[in-house]
Amino acid sequence: MESARCKAFMYAADTGSFTKAAERLNYTPSGVSQLVGALENETGLTLLRRTRKGVTLTPDGEILLPAVREFLEKENRIYELAAEVKGLLVGSVTIATYSSISTHWLPEVIRDFEQDYPQIEIRLMEGIRQEVTRWLDEKKADIGFLSYQEPMPYEWTPLDYDEMLAVLPKDHPYASKESYPLINCETDSFIMPALGRDDDVVSLFERNGIKLNIHFTTLENFATMAMIEKGLGMSVMNNLITEKWNCDVVKIPVDPPSRITLGLAVPSYKQASPAVKRFIKYAVERLKKIE
């Protein structure tokens, strides 16, 4: 099985377009289409549906894609190991992460890492927890930075704790208090971030048996904070998310106190490429605060 055919199929599936896949591979769109067609002839399967709007996976393509990713990953490892034997360190590292971690933790780590290992390409994918775990499972990402929750199917390294905070308008009755009772979220107008899919927030209220009075739902945390600033409600977030946003709001600990554990996850350290292992070591040395 030729790797060029596999790459064309993978990138076309990921981008939904022969044109976008061609840009990634430095081919022509017709060249990508021909490579995918050759792979389909080789396997005897129709892998992609072609439409005027682009391409989508067929059921057979969905089955084959994870194996294609694994095949290409192993091919990359061969080249990376060969380079390491020669005294070089090349390759790529794809990181799936919360946007708060990519904003506050990773820029300095990546800057220093690229200075020491300029031949290694770093790619960032930002998303909520469900997206980070999906990208790890689909082998689209090598490393995940996320919060700890059971079950944890990956090799896990805790890095730091992060306190959960109530974010309130300045004129809120609890704005001058030392803490905010979580039970009040049953009556206060609650603004739910991440379209209601923020696992850290959802699990916090589930553990405490609290039914939220959701008044608004947003996608971005900054939008949530801007709405709170205008007195449209309140919310609960982990502290790292709230840092550096220029919003005139009040942030106080929740009651009962709660914190999340942020860390680094990898599907298998043993099977990781030399480049990925080097970045993990680099990141842990610089970010780990939990002993």
Side-chain angles (χ1 to χ4, degrees), residues 69 94-98 125-156 197 199-200 263-267:
R69 291 193 198 281
T94 301
I95 301 165
T97 177
Y98 291 173
M125 304 170 67
E126 295 181 339
I128 60 176
R129 195 176 192 281
Q130 295 96 314
E131 292 171 318
V132 171
T133 57
R134 187 178 77 247
W135 292 331
L136 288 172
D137 292 341
E138 294 176 352
K139 299 187 181 299
K140 290 183 178 180
D142 304 302
I143 301 169
F145 286 89
L146 68 164
S147 59
Y148 184 88
Q149 288 193 29
E150 293 287 356
M152 174 55 67
Y154 317 110
E155 295 186 27
W156 170 259
R197 297 182 298 152
D199 277 356
D200 297 319
L264 181 153
V266 60

Side-chain angles (χ1 to χ4, degrees), residues 1 66 79 83 101 126 130 156-157 173 186 195 235:
M1 184 175 292
Y79 291 118
I101 293 177
E126 295 181 339
Q130 295 96 314
W156 170 259
T157 302
E186 292 192 338
L195 298 179
S235 192

Side-chain angles (χ1 to χ4, degrees), residues 114-289:
E114 287 195 328
Q115 288 175 354
D116 290 344
Y117 305 103
Q119 299 301 113
I120 297 178
E121 179 185 5
I122 303 294
R123 307 186 190 110
L124 276 179
M125 304 170 67
E126 295 181 339
I128 60 176
R129 195 176 192 281
Q130 295 96 314
E131 292 171 318
V132 171
T133 57
R134 187 178 77 247
W135 292 331
L136 288 172
D137 292 341
E138 294 176 352
K139 299 187 181 299
K140 290 183 178 180
D142 304 302
I143 301 169
F145 286 89
L146 68 164
S147 59
Y148 184 88
Q149 288 193 29
E150 293 287 356
M152 174 55 67
Y154 317 110
E155 295 186 27
W156 170 259
T157 302
L159 297 174
D160 200 4
Y161 299 115
D162 199 25
E163 187 177 22
M164 299 297 289
L165 303 175
V167 185
L168 311 171
K170 292 185 68 176
D171 61 354
H172 191 279
Y174 276 84
S176 61
K177 306 291 185 180
E178 293 186 358
S179 62
Y180 174 87
L182 279 179
I183 192 65
N184 284 18
C185 291
E186 292 192 338
T187 53
D188 269 348
S189 294
F190 192 87
I191 304 176
M192 174 63 82
L195 298 179
R197 297 182 298 152
D198 187 319
D199 277 356
D200 297 319
V201 173
V202 171
S203 63
L204 170 64
F205 290 104
E206 286 180 348
R207 289 196 307 272
N208 288 276
I210 294 172
K211 186 176 181 180
L212 295 172
N213 177 32
I214 299 176
H215 197 58
F216 294 104
T217 300
T218 66
L219 178 61
E220 299 292 340
N221 289 95
F222 178 69
T224 302
M225 294 181 66
M227 293 174 73
I228 294 170
E229 182 180 39
K230 298 302 181 182
L232 294 174
M234 55 80 59
S235 192
V236 172
M237 308 176 190
N238 58 296
N239 180 61
L240 192 64
I241 289 175
T242 69
E243 292 183 0
K244 295 186 179 179
W245 291 117
N246 188 25
C247 289
D248 194 12
V249 296
V250 174
K251 299 180 290 184
I252 59 175
V254 297
D255 181 25
S258 179
R259 65 182 184 180
I260 60 174
T261 304
L262 298 173
L264 181 153
V266 60
S268 171
Y269 184 83
K270 182 178 180 180
Q271 296 179 11
S273 72
V276 171
K277 289 179 179 177
R278 191 62 57 94
F279 185 87
I280 291 172
K281 183 174 185 295
Y282 213 90
V284 170
E285 287 177 349
R286 284 157 177 76
L287 298 175
K288 186 173 176 62
K289 297 179 181 179

